């Protein structure tokens, strides 16, 4: 497959014309969270403590917030036509293969996200007192983060069927390891006599990687995972049924996963809340009403109605 059949210039131009403001917002966020603080610090006594690459990368950590925010929203917006009947039929009526459409959108998102990084890199290179090698390393690592988070956002956009879910679900997945560890720690403190753990986020620290840790070996892991997620997005885009729009999930097999996932975490959260409020350990049956409430809420979301229906079967499975 040659490049001309892999992407379509008209689709890319259309995406950039409609969503150019996403790149502008990303540029401004990086400017405010990275370039401006660096410029202020280089002219203050504080910058004297930044003598190594690690010091500089620690100083640039706030830009990760801009990356996570914009690289989730950008693919959600570019693929948002999948969530509307008119948009789906209009785009897919074009004489283009789905693979061409998918990779064209990916190129559009890449342009919207990489150009802001390059612009901010060039600005920082003009600031006297900042080692150019530090800036180039930050730009390279930022592009890796952009690649990985964009892949996560793309998978969510393809496998979900509304914009809200395609934005919220990636954030939920990102905090999931930390969420599981917090709940596990709480349960261990309640039921394991003498249990202590002085290392906060001892498990999650091996999953999350900031600028400094990605230099220690996580770089290739993030690149590999990004490639896997883009491949999953491509498969999902080709297999996705066009009529599955304006729902939570574009594939029916994802609905039970969502429902039971919400039920389990709602039950655990409710249990921890009650036993913490009463300052005593309790029976696990306390989690049952919270879990069933989670099932009702999840069913209302998946069925797109305020009248919960067919909740007996999932409730029985949850109790089992």
């Amino acid at each position: 497959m040659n490049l001309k059949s892999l992407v379509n210039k008209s689709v890319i131009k259309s995406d950039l014309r409609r969503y150019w403001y996403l790149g502008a917002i990303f540029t401004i966020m990086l400017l405010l969270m990275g370039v401006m603080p660096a410029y202020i610090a280089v002219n203050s006594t504080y910058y004297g403590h930044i003598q190594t690459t690690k010091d500089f990368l620690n100083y640039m950590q706030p830009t990760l917030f801009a990356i996570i925010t914009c690289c989730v929203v950008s693919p959600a917006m570019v693929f948002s036509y999948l969530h509307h009947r008119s948009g789906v039929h209009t785009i897919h009526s074009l004489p283009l293969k789905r693979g061409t459409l998918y990779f064209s959108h990916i190129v559009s998102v890449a342009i919207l996200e990489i150009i802001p990084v390059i612009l901010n890199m060039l600005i920082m290179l003009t600031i006297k007192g900042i080692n150019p090698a530090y800036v180039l390393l930050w730009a390279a690592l930022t592009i890796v983060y952009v690649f990985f988070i964009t892949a996560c956002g793309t998978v969510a956009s393809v496998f979900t069927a509304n914009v809200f879910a395609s934005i919220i679900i990636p954030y939920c997945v990102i905090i999931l390891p930390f969420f599981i560890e917090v709940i596990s720690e709480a349960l261990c403190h309640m039921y394991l006599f003498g249990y202590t753990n002085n290392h906060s986020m001892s498990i999650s620290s091996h999953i999350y990687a900031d600028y400094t840790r990605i230099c220690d070996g996580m770089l290739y892991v993030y690149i590999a995972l990004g490639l896997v997620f883009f491949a999953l997005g491509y498969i999902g885009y080709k297999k996705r049924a066009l009529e599955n729009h304006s729902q939570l999930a574009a594939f029916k097999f994802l609905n039970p996963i969502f429902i039971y996932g919400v039920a389990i975490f709602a039950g655990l959260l409710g249990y921890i809340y009650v036993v913490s409020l009463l300052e005593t350990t309790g029976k696990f049956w306390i989690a049952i009403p919270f879990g069933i409430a989670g099932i009702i809420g999840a069913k209302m979301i998946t069925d797109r109605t305020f009248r919960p229906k067919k909740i007996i079967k999932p409730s029985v499975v949850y109790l089992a």
Side-chain angles (χ1 to χ4, degrees), residues 261-273 284 286-292 294 318:
V262 171
I264 291 172
F265 285 111
L268 289 174
L269 280 178
Y271 174 81
I272 292 175
Y273 170 75
F284 269 106
I286 297 175
I288 294 177
F290 293 97
I292 293 177
Y318 171 73

Side-chain angles (χ1 to χ4, degrees), residues 37-55:
Y39 176 77
I40 294 173
V42 77
N43 294 292
S44 67
T45 55
Y46 176 76
Y47 193 79
H49 298 287
I50 304 178
Q51 301 294 336
T52 64
T53 303
K54 187 174 182 179
D55 293 336

Side-chain angles (χ1 to χ4, degrees), residues 24 33 42 59 66 84 102 105 110 151 174 202 233 242 258 269 274 317:
M33 296 181 180
V42 77
Y59 192 75
H84 305 282
Y102 177 78
H105 294 318
I174 289 172
S202 57
L242 297 182
F258 173 75
L269 280 178
V274 171
V317 174

